Amino acid sequence: MPEGPELHLASQFVNEACRALVFGGCVEKSSVSRNPEVPFESSAYRISASARGKELRLILSPLPGAQPQQEPLALVFRFGMSGSFQLVPREELPRHAHLRFYTAPPGPRLALCFVDIRRFGRWDLGGKWQPGRGPCVLQEYQQFRGILDRWHPKDALPPSKAPSRTRRAKRDLPKRTATQRPEGTSLQQDPEAPTVPKKGRRKGRQAASGHCRPRKVKADIPSLEPEGTSAS
């Protein structure tokens, strides 16, 4: 979505691209756009732009001797989600060029187009900035900074260094001494309590307690046959 810096760059693009161009004829609007018609027609006029915040103002200024005679016209654009300005050949208009300004002969046949794919962009006649907007961060930085200082004083801690809720709770609690601790809360084992042997691993491995499980020894079974009675 175009923000303040993008509109500022768009105004610079219009001023640089259209500085040496002379436009003429009517301003053409696409049939699918819901924005108002631009009632402007001149045989020769120039286009300049300026930006403030998320708005861009386009000024159409007729040249001396241009016909019909009329006053300059200003348009204020809001780019919405996908608005932009493009300078293209007249025979290669973009698909979503909803407002078109054509150059006058004998110069190159070009068109300055307001392109908006999502169709959320708007333009208004009169050239007045939208009321109620705050100062521009690029052109009115000191006023913009003053508003931020009222919201976030300089003596306040930044959000990243502010103590957490858990730290504040621990800081406000008094420290307990050893005599104030309740009985039965110590993790040390009572020396008089019987020890529970720990289970070791199988296959004769040493248990975790350090004791080895005794192995079963197969006793030698004496022969039941008396001596000398062998079948051999």
Side-chain angles (χ1 to χ4, degrees), residues 35-54:
N35 288 300
E37 295 282 351
V38 179
F40 182 86
E41 182 180 0
S42 177
S43 59
Y45 65 94
R46 293 190 183 274
I47 296 179
S48 60
S50 61
R52 182 180 182 273
K54 299 181 67 173

Side-chain angles (χ1 to χ4, degrees), residues 59-86:
I59 299 178
L60 314 181
S61 305
L63 297 179
Q67 297 296 328
Q69 296 182 359
Q70 61 178 15
E71 296 295 327
L73 178 66
L75 304 170
V76 172
F77 289 82
R78 301 174 189 89
F79 282 17
M81 298 183 66
S82 58
S84 65
F85 275 99
Q86 298 181 19

Side-chain angles (χ1 to χ4, degrees), residues 2-231:
E3 300 291 346
E6 286 79 10
L7 272 77
H8 179 72
L9 293 176
S11 67
Q12 291 183 344
F13 165 74
V14 172
N15 291 330
E16 294 178 3
C18 302
R19 182 180 294 114
L21 297 178
V22 177
F23 294 82
C26 299
V27 179
E28 190 175 82
K29 184 181 79 73
S30 67
S31 59
V32 297
S33 176
R34 298 181 180 179
N35 288 300
E37 295 282 351
V38 179
F40 182 86
E41 182 180 0
S42 177
S43 59
Y45 65 94
R46 293 190 183 274
I47 296 179
S48 60
S50 61
R52 182 180 182 273
K54 299 181 67 173
E55 296 178 323
L56 184 145
R57 180 162 57 193
L58 214 63
I59 299 178
L60 314 181
S61 305
L63 297 179
Q67 297 296 328
Q69 296 182 359
Q70 61 178 15
E71 296 295 327
L73 178 66
L75 304 170
V76 172
F77 289 82
R78 301 174 189 89
F79 282 17
M81 298 183 66
S82 58
S84 65
F85 275 99
Q86 298 181 19
L87 185 65
V88 297
R90 188 166 184 171
E91 296 78 12
E92 301 176 6
L93 295 178
R95 182 179 178 182
H96 299 278
H98 298 297
L99 198 63
R100 301 178 282 269
F101 307 87
Y102 297 106
T103 57
R109 298 177 61 82
L110 302 176
L112 179 67
C113 305
F114 177 68
V115 183
D116 187 11
I117 299 176
R118 302 294 299 274
R119 302 183 188 177
F120 288 108
R122 291 193 55 81
W123 62 78
D124 294 325
L125 304 177
K128 294 183 179 180
W129 303 116
Q130 186 176 5
R133 283 192 178 271
C136 178
V137 65
L138 297 176
Q139 300 180 3
E140 302 168 340
Y141 177 74
Q142 295 300 330
Q143 301 178 19
F144 178 79
R145 186 64 195 179
I147 296 177
L148 291 184
D149 292 339
R150 290 199 297 268
W151 289 349
H152 304 285
K154 295 181 180 180
D155 55 350
L157 290 175
S160 59
K161 296 183 180 180
S164 62
R165 186 178 301 177
T166 306
R167 292 180 181 178
R168 290 197 301 267
K170 290 183 178 180
R171 183 180 58 189
D172 297 337
L173 291 176
K175 295 183 178 180
R176 292 186 177 183
T177 60
T179 57
Q180 295 176 342
R181 295 177 182 173
E183 298 180 358
T185 59
S186 177
L187 298 178
Q188 297 181 358
Q189 187 177 0
D190 189 359
E192 298 181 358
T195 58
V196 180
K198 299 181 180 180
K199 295 183 179 181
R201 298 182 179 180
R202 295 183 178 181
K203 298 183 179 181
R205 293 184 181 179
Q206 188 175 2
S209 60
H211 301 284
C212 295
R213 179 181 295 179
R215 296 184 179 182
K216 294 182 180 181
V217 181
K218 187 176 181 180
D220 296 335
I221 301 175
S223 177
L224 299 178
E225 297 180 356
E227 297 181 359
T229 61
S230 175

